[in-house]
Structures are given as structure tokens and as C-alpha cells.
Amino acid sequence: MTRTKLKSFQQMEDRKNEAKANDSVLVEFILLGFANLPNHQGFLFVIFLVIYMSILVGNGLIMVITKMDPNLQTPMYFFLSHFSFLEICYTSVTLPRMLSNLLTQKRNISFLSCAIQLCFFLILGGTECFLLAVMAYDRYVAICMPLNYPVIMNSKTCVQLVVGSWISAIPVQIAETYQIFSLHFCGSNKLNHFFCDAPPLLKLACGDISINELYSYAGAILFAIPFLLILVSYIKIITTIQKLPSAMGRQKAFSTCSSHLMVVGLFFGSGMISYFLPKSKKSSGIDKILSLIYSTVTPVFNPLIYSLRNKDVIVALKKFILKLS
């Protein structure tokens, strides 16, 4: 009888301890990020500050010159302008917080702030997927159906495609965020990541998370649809380009697509590995590196890729600098 009472008492204590652990985790998470490099926090702050400022300036310049230069008033540059604005929003969800953590050494983030950060990060990431698909479709119509291009890609269609890209990701990603934060988090509240992202959050959840993992995979698969659309578009583009009789024509057609393909490869490549690779085949370190690529490295390289490989953008940029000077 005594043993039974002791066992019941122990079970009650365990439940109380677990409840306390859950309550503490619900208050806040600790973003470890670069905690393993305590002597390099100042250096890392400067590096990421330069990266963030480069993203703001580079993408901001593209937005300005595509708006001001008459030669860039085409659907291709209309989409590029919106893509640059999206990149500024996308990185502003994570980088300012990361910079603050590096500067103040305070790595805690409240449960609500973490949920909001994840929600906006997923929504903007999904928007980027769809907008990249729209840009691929624009190149497909321009190269494969050049005579019908002005009719198909009229201003109304362009606006509808951009609006559709912005709103398509919202319902799915809000639902996914709700699913993740309805989980029970027990034990450690230390998030081995730079910001609140789905894979590291699921690692902290206790109990059966298989349904949530399936939901995350379903969300990721949904955004694999734009990737498939991009793939189909470029298969048709390459087939059409190979049929062009002029070598100069083929080179010009490839040059208009190469920049977009590089951005697609960087963004989708790192994102898919991070979200689709089984847990057993990747470590937290790999997760963190991949997240830096698709959340920071890609946005900082996008203005360089689109400007250095695009003569129209270079000419417009030179005109803009001359006006300023």
C-alpha cells in the first residue's frame, strides 16, 4: 500500500515538474545562434550589419531605377522590382533581431514574438517561391511566344500575378504556424538556430509530432509546385532556344534567363535540402548553414546577379548615379 502511494506521489511530482518545464518554455525561447563563438560577437555583428545594409541598398537601387528609367518599364523589370521589395521584407524579418542579439548578447525571444517571426518568415518565403515562378513564366512567354507577349503579359495580368504571389502563401503558412505552436514544448527551451524556423522548433517539441511533420512536409510540397512550374518553363525555353537559327539570338535568350536561374538554384536548393532532407542525415550545424544561405546569402547576391549580368540594369544604374552626382 505504501509503495502504491509513493508511486502515485512520484507520478504527481513528475507531472508537476513537466508542467513547470512546459510553462517556462511557453514564456520564451533562447536563440543560441552564434553562442558557440563568444569571442567573435562584435566581428559577426559588423559582418551581418554590412550584409543587411548591402541588401537594403542593392535591392533599393533596383526598385528605384526600374521605377525611374523608361527603358525598364517592362513586365520583366516590374516583377524584378517587386522581387527586390520582397527581399528587403524577407530579410527584415530575421536580420534585425539577429543583429540585436549579437550586439546585446540577449538571445531570448518570447513565445509570441517567435510565432510572429516564423509566420512572416514562412509567408514571405512562400511568396518568393511563387514570384520566382511568375518571373519564369514571364521569360517563357517572352521567348516561346514573342508575338503574343504584349497581349498575354499586359499590365492587368502582371498586377494580378504579383498580387496572387503575395496572398497565395498566407492561409497555408498561418495554418502551419498555428500547428507548430499548438505543440507541447518540454525540456530545454534553447533553440539551436539564428531565428525561429520550423525544423529547429519541431526538434524541441515533445510527444508525437508526426502529424505536424506531415503538415510541414505538405506545406513544403505545396511550395514545390512553383519549382515544378519553373522547371517546366525552362525546359520549354531551352527547347525553343535550341531551335533558334542565330547563335547571337541563342546567346541573348540565354542571357535573359541565366540570372533568374542562378537565383532559383540558390534559393530552392538550400531550402529544399533544409526542409526535405531526413533528420538522420543532417545536423544542427548543416541546418544553420542552409538557413543562412536562403535567408541571408541569396538576398545579398540577388542585386549583384541581376545587375552584373544585365546590360539594361547597368546602363540605368550609371544614368542614376550620374543624375545624383
Side-chain angles (χ1 to χ4, degrees):
M1 186 72 177
T2 307
R3 288 181 180 177
T4 305
K5 287 182 178 179
L6 285 171
K7 189 175 181 181
S8 299
F9 178 76
Q10 185 64 44
Q11 288 175 346
M12 288 174 66
E13 286 296 315
D14 289 341
R15 290 195 194 101
K16 287 180 181 178
N17 292 332
E18 186 177 345
K20 287 179 181 178
N22 285 337
D23 289 341
S24 65
V25 173
L26 289 175
V27 174
E28 63 181 15
F29 292 102
I30 306 297
L31 293 168
L32 296 180
F34 295 106
N36 59 330
L37 300 170
N39 299 325
H40 300 85
Q41 301 296 297
F43 174 73
L44 290 168
F45 172 80
V46 172
I47 292 295
F48 282 99
L49 180 62
V50 170
I51 288 173
Y52 186 48
M53 295 306 296
S54 300
I55 291 169
L56 295 180
V57 172
N59 287 287
L61 277 174
I62 287 179
M63 289 170 61
V64 170
I65 62 174
T66 52
K67 188 73 175 177
M68 293 178 60
D69 197 297
N71 296 323
L72 301 183
Q73 303 303 307
T74 63
M76 175 181 173
Y77 296 107
F78 173 77
F79 296 133
L80 180 57
S81 175
H82 280 273
F83 185 71
S84 295
F85 175 68
L86 173 62
E87 291 290 63
I88 291 174
C89 297
Y90 184 59
T91 51
S92 295
V93 172
T94 57
L95 274 177
R97 183 89 196 196
M98 191 189 303
L99 289 169
S100 175
N101 293 346
L102 287 168
L103 186 64
T104 63
Q105 300 297 298
K106 293 180 180 179
R107 301 185 180 92
N108 56 309
I109 182 170
S110 69
F111 188 82
L112 179 61
S113 296
C114 189
I116 292 171
Q117 186 183 60
L118 175 65
C119 187
F120 276 99
F121 182 73
L122 292 177
I123 288 172
L124 293 171
T127 302
E128 184 157 345
C129 293
F130 284 108
L131 195 53
L132 285 169
V134 167
M135 293 169 78
Y137 175 71
D138 172 66
R139 292 299 83 209
Y140 159 72
V141 177
I143 293 171
C144 300
M145 294 180 282
L147 297 179
N148 296 324
Y149 182 74
V151 177
I152 297 173
M153 301 304 293
N154 57 67
S155 57
K156 183 181 178 181
T157 301
C158 291
V159 171
Q160 289 174 340
L161 288 171
V162 168
V163 172
S165 298
W166 278 95
I167 65 174
S168 295
I170 292 175
V172 175
Q173 301 299 29
I174 288 177
E176 184 175 349
T177 303
Y178 174 78
Q179 287 289 330
I180 291 172
F181 281 89
S182 64
L183 292 168
H184 293 289
F185 295 95
C186 54
S188 174
N189 67 337
K190 293 179 180 178
L191 198 66
N192 190 18
H193 214 61
F194 307 108
F195 54 89
C196 293
D197 201 0
L201 279 167
L202 288 174
K203 288 180 181 178
L204 291 185
C206 59
D208 184 16
I209 62 168
S210 57
I211 294 175
N212 297 83
E213 285 183 329
L214 285 173
Y215 197 91
S216 296
Y217 282 129
I221 289 170
L222 175 64
F223 294 111
I225 294 172
F227 178 75
L228 292 176
L229 291 174
I230 293 169
L231 192 63
V232 171
S233 296
Y234 275 104
I235 289 172
K236 293 186 176 182
I237 287 170
I238 292 169
T239 304
T240 302
I241 290 174
Q242 287 177 338
K243 294 178 181 178
L244 294 175
S246 169
M248 186 68 71
R250 289 194 295 270
Q251 185 179 353
K252 186 178 179 181
F254 271 120
S255 67
T256 62
C257 302
S258 58
S259 300
H260 183 254
L261 275 173
M262 290 173 69
V263 174
V264 168
L266 278 171
F267 181 77
F268 277 98
S270 56
M272 284 184 172
I273 293 171
S274 181
Y275 278 82
F276 285 105
L277 195 68
K279 290 181 180 179
S280 58
K281 294 187 178 180
K282 62 178 178 178
S283 63
S284 297
I286 293 174
D287 262 342
K288 290 162 77 172
I289 291 169
L290 290 170
S291 70
L292 281 179
I293 292 173
Y294 62 73
S295 68
T296 305
V297 176
T298 304
V300 80
F301 275 115
N302 285 349
L304 293 173
I305 291 170
Y306 279 111
S307 60
L308 294 177
R309 300 183 64 86
N310 192 306
K311 293 179 181 178
D312 294 333
V313 173
I314 292 173
V315 170
L317 188 58
K318 286 179 179 178
K319 288 180 182 177
F320 178 71
I321 293 170
L322 286 172
K323 283 183 181 179
L324 290 178
S325 61

